[in-house]
């Protein structure tokens, strides 16, 4: 793995993020990659026909996607990598326009997910998402990406807030409303309608977000860091999908699932807490002619990696990390443990992942929360309540998680692609009682 190879992979991943301002665009972009690689779309509201050796994907709500490759021969189970498509940002409220002093127009927004608010100030932002409109086709949903510096959240000058650097207390309904225009400008709805190619009065509703459109960059004395919006979790989602595109397995179904709504608890119809994964796995099993018992055997012989970014040790705050289980940028894929099972990893699932990475020559580092500092949770244990699989929680080390511009290591994207490719291609035989044969 040469230096340039590391950087090329991270740049490719950041180009994907730049074209994916929202979860809808990320999923649309994945569809294009899968189409180009010969995967066939399956629609949940139509019957499926699956052929041995076939490659397929299906999308729910335009914001979650599952892709998989069927082996040519009968299969034993599934090898699943899961990640999430959403990131914390501001959602534009249905009535989106607020005036100040008859002069300014601001957007009325509310936070989506557990964001860091202060880094959203004073940087160019755009608007993207989807609109649902009445068109000649009936009720139709279209993606919108304004893709220009359109709004900005100006901070209050230090002269008017002398304690700004001591105690920043932010009220999203007061401090974080983006400035859109001077009064009398074209309303947002009209701009959006133009971008969507519909009449403004045809728009019935929208899911529009304010998103950071700063391009990703490679930086540091030795070009060892990357920074980009939405690294959590599009870095892992892109790596998982990239690995799936090149996966080949004769005994298991490699399957990549990218779920929406992880940042708000996964409890939607398309989130990891929904039946989406279970529905797809059960349906694959049914359509390929298996009984209920055979499906249960497949589940017992399956394995899942839940890939979501992890906290690296912060150079200014080493005391926030565990004294020993603390990952660094560029140190390889992170394996996450939690005694309270916020992460699904246990010694058996950890051992499987470590063995796969050892074989693939990919470095692995360990994360555990510093005791007494509760960390975030992720989708692995939520998904497990629907399809209960042997699972390990992994991710890539990053700084400034949930900032609109996050930092990670330039090498780690390729490490994860390598690890997940090796995972998807592995021959894993379940021997029962926590024992496996790995070829
Ligand atoms: Co995440």
């Amino acid at each position: 793995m040469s230096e340039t190879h590391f950087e090329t992979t991270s740049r490719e991943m950041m180009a994907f993020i730049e074209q994916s301002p929202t979860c809808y665009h990320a999923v649309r972009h994945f569809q294009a990659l899968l189409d180009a690689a010969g995967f066939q779309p399956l629609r949940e509201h139509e019957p499926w026909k699956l052929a041995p050796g076939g490659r397929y994907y299906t999308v729910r709500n335009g914001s979650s996607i599952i892709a998989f490759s069927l082996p040519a021969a009968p299969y034993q189970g599934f090898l699943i990598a899961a990640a999430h498509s959403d990131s914390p940002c501001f959602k534009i409220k249905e009535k989106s326009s607020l005036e100040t002093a008859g002069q300014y127009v601001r957007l009325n927004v509310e936070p989506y997910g557990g964001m860091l608010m202060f880094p959203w100030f004073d940087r160019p932002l755009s608007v993207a998402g989807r609109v649902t409109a009445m068109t000649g086709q009936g009720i139709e949903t279209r993606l919108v990406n304004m893709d220009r510096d359109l709004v900005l959240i100006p901070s209050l000058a230090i002269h008017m807030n002398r304690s700004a650097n001591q105690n920043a207390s932010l009220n999203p309904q007061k401090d974080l409303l983006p400035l859109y225009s001077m009064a009398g400008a074209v309303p947002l709805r009209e701009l959006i309608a133009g971008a969507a190619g519909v009449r403004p009065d045809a728009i019935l509703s929208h899911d529009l977000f304010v998103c950071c459109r700063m391009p990703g960059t490679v930086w540091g004395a030795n070009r060892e860091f990357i920074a980009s919006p939405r690294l959590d979790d599009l870095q892992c989602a892109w790596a998982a999908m990239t690995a799936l595109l090149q996966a080949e397995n004769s005994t298991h179904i490699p399957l990549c699932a990218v779920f929406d709504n992880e940042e708000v608890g996964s409890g939607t119809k398309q989130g990891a807490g929904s039946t989406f994964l279970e529905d797809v796995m059960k349906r694959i099993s049914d359509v390929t002619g298996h009984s209920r018992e055979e499906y249960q055997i497949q589940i017992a012989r399956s394995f899942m990696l839940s890939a979501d970014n992890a906290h690296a040790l912060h150079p200014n705050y080493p005391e926030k990390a565990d004294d020993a289980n603390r990952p660094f940028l560029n140190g390889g894929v992170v394996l996450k443990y939690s005694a309270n099972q916020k992460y699904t990893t246990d010694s058996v699932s950890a051992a499987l992942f470590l063995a796969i990475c050892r074989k693939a020559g990919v470095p692995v580092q360990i994360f555990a929360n510093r005791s007494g500092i509760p960390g975030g949770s992720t989708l692995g244990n939520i998904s497990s309540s629907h399809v209960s699989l042997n699972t390990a929680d992994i991710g890539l080390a990053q700084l400034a998680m949930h900032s609109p511009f996050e930092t990670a290591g330039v090498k780690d994207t390729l490490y994860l692609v390598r690890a997940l490719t090796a995972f998807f291609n592995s021959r894993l035989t379940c021997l029962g009682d926590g024992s496996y044969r790995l070829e």
Side-chain angles (χ1 to χ4, degrees), residues 84 86 232-233 262-263 308-309 378 401-402:
H84 65 90
D86 61 324
D232 172 16
D233 188 31
E262 192 276 341
E263 299 295 358
D308 195 0
N309 272 3
T378 180
M401 190 179 284
H402 293 189

Side-chain angles (χ1 to χ4, degrees), residues 255-318:
L255 182 150
C256 175
V258 179
F259 296 106
D260 190 8
N261 300 127
E262 192 276 341
E263 299 295 358
V264 292
S266 297
T268 58
K269 65 188 180 300
Q270 63 277 357
S274 76
T275 57
F276 188 31
L277 178 61
E278 183 185 20
D279 291 345
V280 170
M281 292 170 71
K282 182 85 181 72
R283 197 158 170 179
I284 293 169
S285 189
D286 281 346
V287 174
T288 51
H290 296 91
S291 68
R292 183 176 163 77
E293 189 189 15
E294 284 166 331
Y295 173 64
Q296 285 169 337
I297 292 169
Q298 288 161 6
I299 295 294
R301 292 180 174 182
S302 296
F303 188 62
M304 176 155 125
L305 293 172
S306 167
D308 195 0
N309 272 3
H311 301 294
L313 179 133
H314 194 295
N316 297 345
Y317 307 94

